[in-house]
Amino acid sequence: MANNVQHLSLYEQIKQYLLTEIELAHLLPHDRLPSESELTKQFSVSRITVKKAMSDLVEQGIVYRIQGKGTYVAASDRSHAAGDPAVKPKITKSVALLLPFINNQHNALLLNGVESILSEAGYSLLFCNTENSIAKEERTIREMVERNVAGMIIYPVDGESYNREILQLTLDSFPLVVMDRYLRGIDTNCVCPDNLKGAQEGVNHLISLGHRHIGFLSTEISGTSSIEDRLAGYEKALAENQIPIDRRYRYVDIELGEPKPIKEKIRDFLLRHPELTAIFAINPGLGLQVIKVASEMGIRVPEDLSLIFFDDFELSEFYSVMPTFISQEENLLGKEAAKLLISIIENPEQDTKKLFFPPKLTIRESTAKPRSARSSI
């Protein structure tokens, strides 16, 4: 069942992306859509997933195919094959969802949750990719205001501690919900996982297995509340279990997107600290690199090194080592963000709300007792 949900989320993500491109007039009537190959690369999904999204849009009369040439945006008054249902008039109330990435399972599930609630309430969704750029995020916010959307849900970009456009929306009492993380110093509505408790639970699990030398791997911490809170949870778990906090075990400036330097940094970190028996990583990107580097170094996971990280990834149950992970319950977060935004739109005088939801620890194959603990049994 889980696989079906993940697959559906990715297909809905592609479908919603194309709908938003049409709604924003980035794609005009009779413009050619990106090819299936292009969409497959852009979203890092299978060709079957892309085909399903395109087929749904054809059936709804939103796009049409020309054999051997491609798929095109349909005109609003375009005639379709006999028996096809008429295209429904567009919903006038629109909500914008701004995400920093569009090609991972985490955001696909957030999108799925948001869309399901908005659709039930009669709102259309404009899905905007900010490409993890503050400048593009600010431009997109201004564009959405100009389009008179009823409200916005914004997932801030990495490293963002302040955004003047979000501050302006807050000062103007514009219906807004910040999702997944929050911006310190800006009093706005937010829906977030409780990253501190999630990290604390994950590290407590490692400690319960007998680990005392636990490393912490992350990208740049400063300015990203979710990472700051995960570090705080890691340190709180150690402190409450009377384990000294050794800052040498923190590696916090690893940048994603450059696999070779990341692998070299992780290899150097493991070589410098052979006493480490466990690693807590802030995301699956870093976690999977740990598994690869450890394998190359002859370090077995979990026999020699236990590993836990935030967020699952697609088809993880088929990975060489099924990872123990902390789920942010993304579908729930998306639903709650949409519910809160609708409530704000319909009752704008209400007080600001900050909602935090407990993540869920899923224990699988990448964590085990350290060798020293097992040998003493």
Side-chain angles (χ1 to χ4, degrees), residues 268-279:
D268 291 344
F269 180 69
L270 294 177
L271 286 172
R272 288 200 309 271
H273 304 292
E275 71 276 16
L276 290 176
T277 61
I279 295 286

Side-chain angles (χ1 to χ4, degrees), residues 30-43:
H30 309 299
D31 278 355
R32 185 177 180 275
L33 269 65
S35 68
E36 291 180 0
S37 295
E38 290 169 337
L39 290 171
T40 296
K41 291 179 181 178
Q42 180 178 351
F43 286 84

Side-chain angles (χ1 to χ4, degrees), residues 233-245:
Y234 160 82
E235 293 186 340
K236 186 175 182 181
L238 295 177
E240 290 185 351
N241 286 276
Q242 290 76 52
I243 299 174
I245 297 172

Side-chain angles (χ1 to χ4, degrees), residues 246-304:
D246 191 333
R247 294 185 179 273
R248 295 176 304 165
Y249 293 168
R250 286 171 36 176
Y251 203 159
V252 297
D253 64 348
I254 304 174
E255 293 300 327
L256 298 177
E258 302 178 7
K260 187 175 180 180
I262 291 174
K263 291 178 69 174
E264 290 176 356
K265 289 180 177 181
I266 293 174
R267 182 180 293 106
D268 291 344
F269 180 69
L270 294 177
L271 286 172
R272 288 200 309 271
H273 304 292
E275 71 276 16
L276 290 176
T277 61
I279 295 286
F280 176 88
I282 58 119
N283 59 42
L286 290 176
L288 294 180
Q289 289 293 337
V290 170
I291 294 176
K292 291 178 182 177
V293 171
S295 176
E296 293 172 0
M297 296 175 65
I299 300 172
R300 298 168 300 169
V301 175
E303 291 87 351
D304 304 319

Side-chain angles (χ1 to χ4, degrees), residues 33-326:
L33 269 65
S35 68
E36 291 180 0
S37 295
E38 290 169 337
L39 290 171
T40 296
K41 291 179 181 178
Q42 180 178 351
F43 286 84
S44 301
V45 296
S46 69
R47 195 73 170 260
I48 294 174
T49 302
V50 173
K51 278 184 177 292
K52 180 170 176 55
M54 298 284 252
S55 295
D56 271 18
L57 293 176
V58 170
E59 289 177 7
Q60 294 171 20
I62 296 168
V63 302
Y64 63 95
R65 288 192 177 109
I66 297 178
Q67 187 67 33
K69 292 188 176 181
T71 305
Y72 299 81
V73 179
S76 58
D77 59 350
R78 179 179 172 83
S79 300
H80 299 280
D84 282 356
V87 178
K88 296 179 181 179
K90 290 182 180 178
I91 301 171
T92 55
K93 295 181 294 182
S94 297
V95 164
L97 170 63
L98 280 64
L99 294 178
F101 303 103
I102 60 174
N103 63 347
N104 61 41
Q105 178 178 307
H106 172 73
N107 286 354
L109 292 172
L110 288 172
L111 167 63
N112 193 281
V114 169
E115 195 279 332
S116 65
I117 297 300
L118 291 178
S119 179
E120 288 178 7
Y123 291 81
S124 62
L125 176 63
L126 299 180
F127 173 37
C128 308
N129 174 21
T130 61
E131 298 178 351
N132 210 33
S133 161
I134 293 178
K136 184 169 183 182
E137 181 182 79
E138 291 181 341
R139 289 197 305 271
T140 303
I141 290 172
R142 291 194 294 269
E143 183 180 353
M144 293 301 104
V145 171
E146 290 172 1
R147 291 182 61 83
N148 293 317
V149 295
M152 290 188 222
I153 299 173
I154 300 176
Y155 184 145
V157 305
D158 289 344
E160 182 174 18
S161 57
Y162 171 80
N163 180 304
R164 59 188 175 186
E165 296 297 335
I166 291 179
L167 176 60
Q168 190 61 54
L169 292 178
T170 303
L171 294 174
D172 293 341
S173 299
F174 183 90
L176 169 68
V177 172
V178 174
M179 182 169 60
D180 191 83
R181 60 188 65 154
Y182 54 90
L183 302 181
R184 302 188 191 280
I186 300 182
D187 184 26
T188 190
N189 299 281
C190 69
V191 173
C192 304
D194 192 329
N195 286 289
L196 188 150
K197 286 187 177 178
Q200 187 178 4
E201 184 178 3
V203 176
N204 277 336
H205 169 62
L206 293 171
I207 294 171
S208 72
L209 292 172
H211 295 278
R212 294 297 179 269
H213 301 287
I214 303 170
F216 179 89
L217 294 181
S218 81
T219 52
E220 180 63 38
I221 292 177
S222 179
T224 303
S225 62
S226 57
I227 303 179
E228 292 171 349
D229 289 348
R230 290 173 193 181
L231 175 59
Y234 160 82
E235 293 186 340
K236 186 175 182 181
L238 295 177
E240 290 185 351
N241 286 276
Q242 290 76 52
I243 299 174
I245 297 172
D246 191 333
R247 294 185 179 273
R248 295 176 304 165
Y249 293 168
R250 286 171 36 176
Y251 203 159
V252 297
D253 64 348
I254 304 174
E255 293 300 327
L256 298 177
E258 302 178 7
K260 187 175 180 180
I262 291 174
K263 291 178 69 174
E264 290 176 356
K265 289 180 177 181
I266 293 174
R267 182 180 293 106
D268 291 344
F269 180 69
L270 294 177
L271 286 172
R272 288 200 309 271
H273 304 292
E275 71 276 16
L276 290 176
T277 61
I279 295 286
F280 176 88
I282 58 119
N283 59 42
L286 290 176
L288 294 180
Q289 289 293 337
V290 170
I291 294 176
K292 291 178 182 177
V293 171
S295 176
E296 293 172 0
M297 296 175 65
I299 300 172
R300 298 168 300 169
V301 175
E303 291 87 351
D304 304 319
L305 183 71
S306 283
L307 173 68
I308 189 170
F309 50 77
F310 260 84
D311 300 332
D312 196 10
F313 58 93
E314 191 174 16
L315 302 179
S316 63
E317 63 269 35
F318 299 112
Y319 203 71
S320 56
V321 179
M322 289 176 58
T324 295
F325 68 95
I326 303 160

